[in-house]
Amino acid sequence: MGTSEDENSVSVHLTDCDREAAGTVFGVLATAYPGYSPAPETPGGNGGSREGHPVVWSTVVATDALRDLGTQAPPPLDGSVDATVTGSAAGVEQVVGVLASAFRADEVGRVPGEHEFEVRLRLSR
Protein backbone atom coordinates (compact mmCIF):
# COMPACT_ATOMS: atom_id res chain seq x y z
CA MET A 1 0.00 0.00 0.00
CA GLY A 2 2.18 2.74 -1.27
CA THR A 3 -0.11 5.75 -1.59
CA SER A 4 -2.45 7.56 0.76
CA GLU A 5 -5.32 6.69 -1.60
CA ASP A 6 -4.56 3.00 -1.03
CA GLU A 7 -4.48 3.53 2.72
CA ASN A 8 -7.97 5.05 2.56
CA SER A 9 -9.45 2.37 0.27
CA VAL A 10 -11.40 -0.43 1.91
CA SER A 11 -12.91 -3.32 -0.06
CA VAL A 12 -16.29 -4.66 1.00
CA HIS A 13 -17.46 -8.03 -0.34
CA LEU A 14 -20.95 -9.34 0.39
CA THR A 15 -22.13 -12.94 -0.05
CA ASP A 16 -25.13 -15.08 0.86
CA CYS A 17 -27.57 -12.33 -0.07
CA ASP A 18 -29.73 -11.09 -2.90
CA ARG A 19 -29.50 -7.78 -4.77
CA GLU A 20 -31.91 -6.04 -2.39
CA ALA A 21 -29.89 -6.95 0.72
CA ALA A 22 -26.64 -5.93 -0.98
CA GLY A 23 -28.26 -2.63 -1.94
CA THR A 24 -29.33 -2.06 1.67
CA VAL A 25 -25.77 -2.58 2.95
CA PHE A 26 -24.25 -0.46 0.18
CA GLY A 27 -26.87 2.22 0.90
CA VAL A 28 -25.58 2.51 4.47
CA LEU A 29 -22.07 3.01 3.10
CA ALA A 30 -23.34 5.63 0.63
CA THR A 31 -24.94 7.55 3.50
CA ALA A 32 -21.77 7.37 5.61
CA TYR A 33 -19.28 8.34 2.90
CA PRO A 34 -20.04 11.45 0.80
CA GLY A 35 -19.15 10.95 -2.83
CA TYR A 36 -19.30 7.17 -2.53
CA SER A 37 -21.42 5.55 -5.18
CA PRO A 38 -22.12 1.81 -5.11
CA ALA A 39 -20.72 -0.16 -8.01
CA PRO A 40 -23.09 -0.89 -10.90
CA GLU A 41 -25.36 -3.85 -10.40
CA THR A 42 -24.08 -7.24 -11.37
CA PRO A 43 -25.83 -8.54 -14.49
CA GLY A 44 -27.93 -11.62 -14.05
CA GLY A 45 -30.75 -12.70 -11.77
CA ASN A 46 -31.91 -11.10 -8.57
CA GLY A 47 -31.03 -14.01 -6.31
CA GLY A 48 -28.02 -14.81 -4.20
CA SER A 49 -26.58 -17.14 -6.82
CA ARG A 50 -26.16 -17.18 -10.56
CA GLU A 51 -26.58 -20.42 -12.46
CA GLY A 52 -25.78 -22.40 -9.32
CA HIS A 53 -22.74 -20.26 -8.44
CA PRO A 54 -22.63 -17.83 -5.53
CA VAL A 55 -22.69 -14.11 -6.30
CA VAL A 56 -20.22 -11.78 -4.59
CA TRP A 57 -21.30 -8.15 -4.43
CA SER A 58 -18.27 -5.90 -4.03
CA THR A 59 -17.32 -2.27 -3.77
CA VAL A 60 -14.45 -0.06 -2.63
CA VAL A 61 -15.01 2.73 -0.10
CA ALA A 62 -12.70 5.74 0.38
CA THR A 63 -12.65 6.13 4.16
CA ASP A 64 -11.11 9.61 4.23
CA ALA A 65 -14.52 11.35 4.11
CA LEU A 66 -16.68 9.83 6.83
CA ARG A 67 -19.92 11.70 7.50
CA ASP A 68 -21.42 11.85 10.99
CA LEU A 69 -24.49 9.63 10.77
CA GLY A 70 -26.13 10.86 13.95
CA THR A 71 -29.13 8.77 14.91
CA GLN A 72 -31.00 7.17 12.06
CA ALA A 73 -33.57 4.44 11.85
CA PRO A 74 -31.87 1.16 10.95
CA PRO A 75 -32.54 0.04 7.38
CA PRO A 76 -34.54 -3.14 6.85
CA LEU A 77 -32.44 -6.24 6.25
CA ASP A 78 -34.20 -9.56 5.77
CA GLY A 79 -32.08 -12.50 6.80
CA SER A 80 -28.32 -12.21 7.12
CA VAL A 81 -25.47 -11.06 4.89
CA ASP A 82 -21.85 -12.21 5.10
CA ALA A 83 -19.43 -9.29 4.69
CA THR A 84 -15.66 -9.33 4.27
CA VAL A 85 -13.97 -5.98 4.84
CA THR A 86 -10.34 -5.62 3.72
CA GLY A 87 -7.86 -2.74 3.81
CA SER A 88 -5.71 -0.81 6.28
CA ALA A 89 -6.41 -1.58 9.93
CA ALA A 90 -7.82 1.90 10.63
CA GLY A 91 -9.97 1.91 7.49
CA VAL A 92 -11.35 -1.56 8.14
CA GLU A 93 -12.22 -0.71 11.74
CA GLN A 94 -13.97 2.46 10.55
CA VAL A 95 -16.11 0.62 7.98
CA VAL A 96 -16.87 -2.17 10.48
CA GLY A 97 -18.01 0.54 12.92
CA VAL A 98 -20.32 2.06 10.30
CA LEU A 99 -21.84 -1.34 9.51
CA ALA A 100 -22.17 -2.18 13.22
CA SER A 101 -24.02 1.08 13.82
CA ALA A 102 -26.64 0.12 11.23
CA PHE A 103 -26.93 -3.65 11.67
CA ARG A 104 -26.20 -6.38 14.13
CA ALA A 105 -22.61 -7.22 13.15
CA ASP A 106 -21.27 -10.49 14.53
CA GLU A 107 -17.57 -10.91 13.88
CA VAL A 108 -16.86 -14.39 12.51
CA GLY A 109 -13.20 -13.98 11.58
CA ARG A 110 -10.25 -11.63 11.64
CA VAL A 111 -7.00 -11.90 9.67
CA PRO A 112 -4.24 -9.41 10.48
CA GLY A 113 -1.54 -8.83 7.89
CA GLU A 114 1.56 -6.73 7.48
CA HIS A 115 -0.14 -4.09 5.31
CA GLU A 116 -3.75 -5.24 5.08
CA PHE A 117 -6.34 -6.35 7.56
CA GLU A 118 -9.46 -8.44 7.02
CA VAL A 119 -12.58 -8.74 9.15
CA ARG A 120 -15.45 -11.11 8.36
CA LEU A 121 -18.89 -10.20 9.66
CA ARG A 122 -22.37 -11.63 9.60
CA LEU A 123 -24.78 -8.72 9.31
CA SER A 124 -28.40 -9.07 10.39
CA ARG A 125 -31.22 -7.02 11.82
Side-chain angles (χ1 to χ4, degrees):
M1 300 179 102
T3 68
S4 62
E5 181 180 343
D6 290 337
E7 293 170 4
N8 293 322
S9 296
V10 172
S11 297
V12 179
H13 303 274
L14 307 177
T15 57
D16 292 336
C17 66
D18 60 16
R19 181 177 314 219
E20 184 176 319
T24 298
V25 175
F26 289 159
V28 166
L29 296 175
T31 300
Y33 296 99
Y36 164 75
S37 176
E41 294 183 4
T42 300
N46 291 324
S49 65
R50 184 175 176 191
E51 296 179 24
H53 300 285
V55 171
V56 177
W57 307 90
S58 64
T59 194
V60 176
V61 176
T63 60
D64 56 344
L66 178 63
R67 174 184 298 153
D68 181 14
L69 297 176
T71 57
Q72 298 182 11
L77 185 65
D78 293 331
S80 65
V81 174
D82 289 341
T84 302
V85 184
T86 307
S88 69
V92 166
E93 292 300 339
Q94 185 185 100
V95 171
V96 167
V98 167
L99 294 173
S101 72
F103 308 105
R104 177 178 173 176
D106 295 318
E107 187 174 311
V108 294
R110 183 176 286 257
V111 181
E114 185 175 341
H115 299 286
E116 283 196 334
F117 196 66
E118 177 180 292
V119 174
R120 288 179 226 129
L121 303 169
R122 178 150 300 123
L123 304 174
S124 60
R125 176 61 9 237

